[in-house]
Amino acid sequence: MGYEFGKIEKKWQKFWKENKTFKAYNKSEKPKYYVLDMFPYPSGAGLHVGHPLGYIASDIYARYKRHQGFNVLHPMGYDAYGLPAEQYAIQTGTHPEVTTNKNIEKYRHQLDRIGFSYDWDREVRTCDPKYYKWTQWTFIQLFKSWYNKDIDRAEPIEQLIKEFEKNGNLYIHAACDEVESFSAQEWKAKTEKEQQETLMHYRLAYLADTVVNWCPALGTVLANDEVKDGFSERGGHPVEKKLMKQWSLRITAYAQRLLDGLDKVDWTDNVKEIQRNWIGRSEGAMVSFGLSRYGEVETPPQPSPGGREQEPRYYNTDARTWKALKENVKDLRKNPTDAEKLLWEKLRRNQTGHYIRRQHAIGSYIVDFVCLKKKTIIEIDGKIHKYQKKEDKERTAVLQEKGFTVIRFSNQEVFEDIDKVVEKIKSFLDNKIDEEEISSEEHSTESGKVLPPGEDLGGVNVFTTRPDTLFGATFMVLAPEHELIEKITTPDRKEEVEKYVTWAKNRSERERMTEVKTVTGVFTGAYAVNPLTGKEIPVWTADYVLSGYGTGAIMAVPAHDSRDFAFARHFNLPIIQVVVREGEEPTDPATWEESYDSKEGIMINSGFINGMTVSEAIWATIDKLEEMGIGYGKVNYRLRDAIFSRQRYWGEPFPIYYKNGMPYPLDESELPLELPPVDNYLPTEKGEPPLARAKNWKTKEGYPYETNTMPGFAGSSGYYLRYMDPWNDNEYFSKEANEYWRDVDLYLGGDEHATGHLIYSRFWNKFLFDLGLVCEDEPYKKLINQGKIQGRSSIVYRIQGTNKFVSYGLRKQYQTQALHVDINLVDNDVLDIEAFKKWRPEFHDAEFILEDGKYICGYEVEKMSKSKLNVQNPDDLIDKYGADTLRLYEMFLGPLEQDKPWDTKGIEGVFRFLKKLWRLYFDENDNLIVTDEKPTEQELKVLHKTIKKVRSDIERFSFNTGVSAFMICTNELTDLKCHKREILEPLAVLLAPYASHIAEEIWETLGHEGGISYVPYPEYNEKYLKEDTFAYPVSFNGKMRFKLELPVDMQKEEIEKKVIEAREAQKWIEGKTIRKIIVVPKRIINVVVS
RNA sequence: GCGGAUGUGGCGGAAUUGGUAGACGCGCCAGACUUAGGAUCUGGUGCCGCAAGGCGUGGGGGUUCGAGUCCCUUCAUCCGCACCA
């Protein structure tokens, strides 16, 4: 009979189920331990041998912890929303839920056969209304929250509204969109809709026009982590950028905390690095550059360096007002009236002999034209600017109070006789005395704007991580999408710039990525003023600058940035070296082959920072910029907010309805908002999401519900919390349950979730932490990423144009074509020719060229997939060898975290081991042969050596060496013909986490009741491991030559003597001098001779 | 380009702190038992060499009595991010 795994495994799986052996208790005196597997998406294909790898490892650990007296939470569930079921629904009309449930059943059956110790009573499915009620609930909380930077956590939105009513948004530091400042009065004056619109800029779940990754083939948007190289991760369809109104989660508010949290979790460096990279923190400075369209004018007036007194007096308003007026100025400049345009042509560029600016902000006004030197304002009447509702009279009075003279002309005058108007202005200005002094409070510099000379175009901010190189900035580059481009481009360059911008915008992401090395760009005709040197630098636009990062504009430092360098070389722009390697002399950048990008060196050609090191200079420059009010230190993140809408059917509906076009959350009592039936799973003709097809998709009051659904990561972001208390209908989870289970002690899953699930889930948890709902701010204490199991495909070689196949070793003699062959037709690389002929009709008459009478297949290690015919189904292996063998073999394959190819042939060895183990306990007739005889020292040593090894291997998740230890132990006990209870009973317990079924069977046969799962894990006793002697390896000059058995307590001097006397040593000593003898107790003896 | 990881027999892989390189398993070779073997058992198996011995952890250099392990350098493969300022 022997080892009947089939019978045994069935029996014990039934036992576990009936006795609820693996039930976890929310109240317990035992310490808790939470072991979690990343729950699977139940695909139609079922499990292949790669899927259970992590589950087996975590199961071993969970079982080990139970043996150690822990109350173990080890749950399983299903990430049930996903594209395949929906695609299938579109094709066949089958409701995705039907498909999903069918797949879940299949998964469950497969999982059950492997003998996992899950507490199945806690199963969750993300598509279950009882579950997604809480996904929706969390969304509502996000909607009702904002992020307060002052206390660095989320707060209820009511808090914010209260503050708005008190002080407007003047003292609010929030993680939010760009919002104009407003006072309490202004807040109160807003309509409800306006207030809602304003709040939307602060909410953690918000609706906004967003540039999204639109996938036309899938008909939905995708999150950044769902897009790989410009194609959708699922399906590989092209993805394009599109502006759409979408829900987003303000995950960027948590960027720093997500980064900091990584320091306190026990994860692999790899995943931590991926997350750090994804968050992409960089420190630097925001610098304001003034912009001007100086164009054809010879030399721009040079502001004298340094010295606040001599700074040009361009600011005639304070910073806050300027901020408020800025947009208006931009707008007005963009849309001048015809009269203004006409007059400007006559006034610009000193034509009158006086320097005149247009649309300049003075106080809270924007005046049409001004000559600052003469403190004279020229206004054109007879038009109503959108933003100027006040009476001109009042305006004049105020401006006069500030010391300005206002002269007015009507539109008509300008149109009828412009020369006369210009003449009047000229003579007025000619006769007016220069107003040298402008009252000091008018241009207090606390954070004023430096506006450059020339035609004033406002300013532009750039982000740089290298403010130290500001003196080396010789040009500026704007992203083609940058809003200023249109404004600043000179007429003569307009055509060229527009052509370029259009071209750049229409290039796909894909093209932009693949053509990284081509340098393209055009000059806009505008200039920016380097705020430290006062020098004008040309402004270009080029697509190597991304609109999505920083401000979409850069200062280019070609000497110290490789991309800027390439650009400067290509377009022949100046390159100034400002950093030199310590101890080296500056060289002519014209001779350089590449830029010097290093963050180390000494500053040169850089004014006040000359001689400083780079890091000193960075800080000095930031200080200076802040002091001058033209820049500040700034931390920038690459992380983007998570787009949360999907135009799909099979997902959680948003608990949102629309009133007057504004979204409102459902009352919590109305949750869950269940997914409605639809007649068709495609978008509507109008392009609305499938939910728009649902009948009566509106509230009782008739307000329409949101028709988008949530993305895949919504349901998986908080599932580990729901496992703690999955039966709770009133709460996500009870406070008690959360305070008991707290966080996941061990989390196992693939590292493909590093930028998706693992970031979103941490964000979700931190948000709930801010709400006081969860007690740990990091959800996953320890994370292990199991490696992927790759397929091992078998290859046959067909001679081209024939139906003749040549064996692997002889294939080079022919022109062959490599074909994948089903791995089930191949054993140990030998092809079953008869089976192959029957496999496909076209091979029925195939002929073969054999080697040694066999057809040997080649192999290829690649992804396990149906098309490669290399998928190994665990069910087949369980049928043939049993679950215990499968469990052991998956662990035996290699280190858990390493990718490794699957090769079924090795499984025999593990199977043999279990059979051999069985024979320690039973004879050929299945009679128990275990005796109560006292074990020998040697036997005890074998056992305790194994206990020590297996324990330490489990602790460090080295399961492959653990299996090997069991094999060694079994081999040694077999050699010793040991059948003693005192040895074999602990061995069964030791093995139980790995090969649970056979261990249970042995345990029961040995006379125990109630199962093995909670029997204390064996402890090793050092006294059995003690050795009296040690076989010292003796080496000469580091080469091991022979072994010498010596007592362990022998003194070094004695050992040296023994070594020299040893017979085998003579050969190596002969004719040589002994220089030195090194003795490391219980390790090695090394004799140095020469 | 940046970051992370990995290179050890025919194969999967051991070697926890610098101390016997190749544990354990597969495969292969030989033998035993068998009508048979794709069952079971026993022995062998890094490479070269009849042997003594020599050579061996991707390559080169170094530290050390001693290096797969530490340092420098270089190559290759895999993964992640990528014109991120």
Side-chain angles (χ1 to χ4, degrees), chain A residues 25-33 71 735-743 775:
Chain A
Y25 296 90
N26 279 8
K27 277 198 181 111
S28 170
E29 290 305 302
K30 293 179 176 180
K32 71 102 185 185
Y33 202 88
N71 178 27
K735 201 170 172 58
E736 302 78 63
N738 180 258
E739 276 174 358
Y740 180 72
W741 293 113
R742 309 191 74 82
D743 53 6
C775 54

Side-chain angles (χ1 to χ4, degrees), chain A residues 750-770:
Chain A
D751 60 4
E752 68 271 18
H753 296 107
T755 52
H757 162 64
L758 285 171
I759 287 250
Y760 297 126
S761 189
R762 291 179 61 221
F763 158 70
W764 197 270
N765 188 80
K766 283 181 190 298
F767 169 68
L768 293 172
F769 177 80
D770 286 354

Side-chain angles (χ1 to χ4, degrees), chain A residues 146-149 160 164 169 172-180 198-204 206 250 252-253 641:
Chain A
W146 67 292
Y147 199 87
N148 186 344
K149 283 186 180 171
L160 185 67
F164 284 171
N169 67 352
I172 291 288
H173 295 105
C176 60
D177 307 330
E178 261 187 46
V179 191
E180 297 287 319
T198 302
L199 288 173
M200 196 57 91
H201 295 305
Y202 290 86
R203 296 182 188 278
L204 288 182
Y206 63 96
R250 208 177 293 282
T252 47
D641 281 344

Side-chain angles (χ1 to χ4, degrees), chain A residues 578-580 601-604 608-621:
Chain A
V578 290
V579 183
V580 65
I602 304 295
M603 305 310 301
I604 54 164
F608 69 97
I609 49 174
N610 274 338
M612 291 185 191
T613 65
V614 166
S615 46
E616 286 164 359
I618 288 174
W619 292 112
T621 309

Side-chain angles (χ1 to χ4, degrees), chain A residues 617-731:
Chain A
I618 288 174
W619 292 112
T621 309
I622 290 174
D623 283 350
K624 180 79 176 175
L625 291 170
E626 286 181 355
E627 185 193 314
M628 290 170 70
I630 50 166
Y632 52 93
K634 160 103 180 147
V635 175
N636 220 14
Y637 300 93
R638 201 186 69 100
L639 186 71
R640 298 282 85 121
D641 281 344
I643 294 160
F644 205 61
S645 302
R646 296 293 181 274
Q647 293 66 46
R648 310 295 302 189
Y649 174 74
W650 190 225
E652 299 88 347
F654 282 88
I656 290 288
Y657 64 91
Y658 288 87
K659 194 166 89 183
N660 301 326
M662 287 307 292
Y664 290 87
L666 291 187
D667 191 87
E668 285 167 22
S669 65
E670 293 177 69
L671 298 182
L673 175 61
E674 294 200 26
L675 192 62
V678 291
D679 49 10
N680 184 325
Y681 301 97
L682 286 167
T684 65
E685 291 73 30
K686 284 188 272 174
E688 300 157 295
L691 282 195
R693 294 176 181 274
K695 289 201 185 80
N696 281 319
W697 190 233
K698 53 195 175 195
T699 65
K700 291 190 288 283
E701 298 79 18
Y703 297 121
Y705 287 132
E706 167 71 62
T707 54
N708 284 294
T709 54
M710 298 186 195
F713 63 82
S716 60
S717 289
Y719 76 112
Y720 61 95
L721 292 166
R722 188 63 183 165
Y723 280 138
M724 295 175 180
D725 195 10
W727 314 279
N728 198 328
D729 284 332
N730 307 314
E731 300 163 283

Side-chain angles (χ1 to χ4, degrees), chain A residues 339 380-382 409-418 421:
Chain A
I380 314 275
D381 301 325
F409 299 94
S410 71
N411 275 347
Q412 224 178 341
E413 282 176 81
V414 174
F415 284 126
E416 277 171 14
D417 196 348
I418 185 150
V421 171

